[in-house]
Amino acid sequence: MNQTNLQRSFSLAEFLRSYGTVLAGILIIIGFSVLNPDTFATWDNMINISRQISFLVIISIGATLVMSVSEFDLSIGAMASLAGVIAAKMAADQMPILISIVAPLLICLVIGYVNGWIITRFRVLSFITTLAMGTILGGFTFWFTGGTTIFENIPDSFRYLGQTSWLGVPLLSIIMILIVLLFWFVMAHTGLGRRLYAIGGNEMASRVAGLNVRFNKNAAFALCAALAALTGILMASRLGSAHPTGGNGLFLSAYAAVFLGITVGKEGVPNIWGTFVGAAIIGILANGLTIMEVPTFMQDVITGMIVIAAVIVQKLGRDAR
């Protein structure tokens, strides 16, 4: 093979490594559009998808922050469930709506900071610490609700965020876009974002360079928990009820979105727009499979396969660099 052919092969491999995920997403959209042109490829369904993926995108962005410092938070599902039931309970007890939303956000922010403090103070694995914290939160949530769904006396004002549309666009979709833009700016254009990436790239070098590794990691865990809490609150608002395990199902999909997002772009690191694309692909896939009446358990199987494929692609990409 001459030099020109080698260059072409390398360029094609580099292109697929950088944009293969986006290309796969486009092919999925085209495939479902051909198979279900009257139901999938419609404006109403696109609006519906944007609303459906809003929960996954928001909680995935939190996971992106923690993964940017090379850690994991396995308590985000339980955190979302906890925030949802607290907010719904407070609203049902006729507390002011603003307090019903802000209080669980602050509670989870503190819990997230405690997660980070334990991990950085005692230098223990984030897997174990956050798994244990998620178990604690799950038990507390079950005790708090008695294992039942909270749905009685939920005021209409609490449902506003989840059930309102502005100019035909769901408020959930607008909140999702604002969150994406905010954290894209934070990660790309602020000192905090640069510090998180520096710590994730080389923690020891960051420490030697004078960065406060412990504080920045704690901040990442706290923000991750707050975004998980916001997801749980928005879910409760959308449904007009809160189940003690309502947010648990988002956990695996959130990390699937982040891993898919890592394969978007040349850098091979967790990034906000990549996570958005990853979450959109998972949401579009779920929507298309539901329209085709594929059983829910098969969607879980496919999500797990996506995670494995994304991890393999990420590893191959790193080895190739």
Side-chain angles (χ1 to χ4, degrees):
M1 187 178 292
N2 57 38
Q3 186 175 0
T4 303
N5 288 335
L6 279 172
Q7 287 176 341
R8 286 176 179 170
S9 298
F10 178 79
S11 299
L12 179 61
E14 185 69 23
F15 176 82
L16 290 176
R17 195 160 48 243
S18 300
Y19 304 109
T21 303
V22 176
L23 189 61
I26 294 172
L27 290 176
I28 289 171
I29 293 173
I30 293 173
F32 282 130
S33 298
V34 171
L35 292 172
N36 302 282
D38 296 332
T39 49
F40 181 82
T42 63
W43 174 252
D44 288 343
N45 193 44
M46 293 300 108
I47 292 292
N48 185 40
I49 290 174
S50 75
R51 179 166 45 212
Q52 289 176 343
I53 67 172
S54 59
F55 307 123
L56 181 57
V57 169
I58 295 171
I59 198 170
S60 300
I61 287 176
T64 305
L65 300 180
V66 170
M67 283 190 64
S68 70
V69 293
S70 299
E71 301 286 1
F72 286 91
D73 187 343
L74 305 189
S75 66
I76 53 175
M79 202 83 73
S81 300
L82 174 68
V85 298
I86 290 177
K89 179 67 175 171
M90 293 179 71
D93 289 343
Q94 308 306 313
M95 297 283 287
I97 294 303
L98 184 61
I99 295 178
S100 300
I101 293 173
V102 172
L105 280 175
L106 292 177
I107 291 171
C108 290
L109 185 81
V110 172
I111 295 172
Y113 192 88
V114 170
N115 268 341
W117 181 81
I118 294 172
I119 291 163
T120 55
R121 173 66 179 79
F122 300 101
R123 299 195 177 188
V124 292
L125 293 175
S126 57
F127 280 97
I128 306 300
T129 305
T130 55
L131 181 63
M133 183 61 80
T135 304
I136 293 170
L137 296 179
F140 177 81
T141 304
F142 198 84
W143 167 81
F144 184 71
T145 61
T148 60
T149 301
I150 298 173
F151 63 93
E152 293 182 342
N153 301 320
I154 301 285
D156 290 341
S157 53
F158 182 73
R159 305 169 197 257
Y160 183 81
L161 288 176
Q163 300 183 5
T164 303
S165 294
W166 289 353
L167 301 175
V169 180
L171 186 53
L172 285 174
S173 305
I174 296 172
I175 293 172
M176 171 188 71
I177 294 298
L178 292 176
I179 295 287
V180 169
L181 290 174
L182 172 64
F183 281 92
W184 162 75
F185 182 80
V186 168
M187 295 301 287
H189 297 287
T190 69
L192 175 62
R194 287 189 285 272
R195 290 194 296 273
L196 295 183
Y197 279 129
I199 292 169
N202 192 324
E203 182 173 332
M204 183 60 70
S206 300
R207 203 181 299 277
V208 172
L211 294 185
N212 188 336
V213 173
R214 183 178 297 180
F215 172 79
N216 285 287
K217 276 195 170 186
N218 294 351
F221 276 99
L223 289 172
C224 175
L227 287 170
L230 178 61
T231 303
I233 294 167
L234 293 175
M235 285 181 67
S237 175
R238 172 65 184 161
L239 298 172
S241 64
H243 190 273
T245 60
N248 294 14
L250 290 172
F251 159 68
L252 180 59
S253 297
Y255 281 99
V258 180
F259 275 115
L260 274 176
I262 291 175
T263 65
V264 176
K266 298 179 181 179
E267 293 79 8
V269 297
N271 63 92
I272 300 300
W273 285 112
T275 296
F276 176 75
V277 171
I281 289 175
I282 293 172
I284 291 168
L285 202 56
N287 178 272
L289 292 175
T290 301
I291 290 174
M292 294 178 67
E293 299 182 353
V294 174
T296 305
F297 70 88
M298 277 305 299
Q299 297 179 25
D300 294 337
V301 171
I302 292 172
T303 302
M305 292 171 66
I306 288 174
V307 175
I308 294 173
V311 171
I312 293 173
V313 170
Q314 181 197 10
K315 180 69 168 59
L316 293 177
R318 282 184 176 177
D319 292 344
R321 274 188 279 273

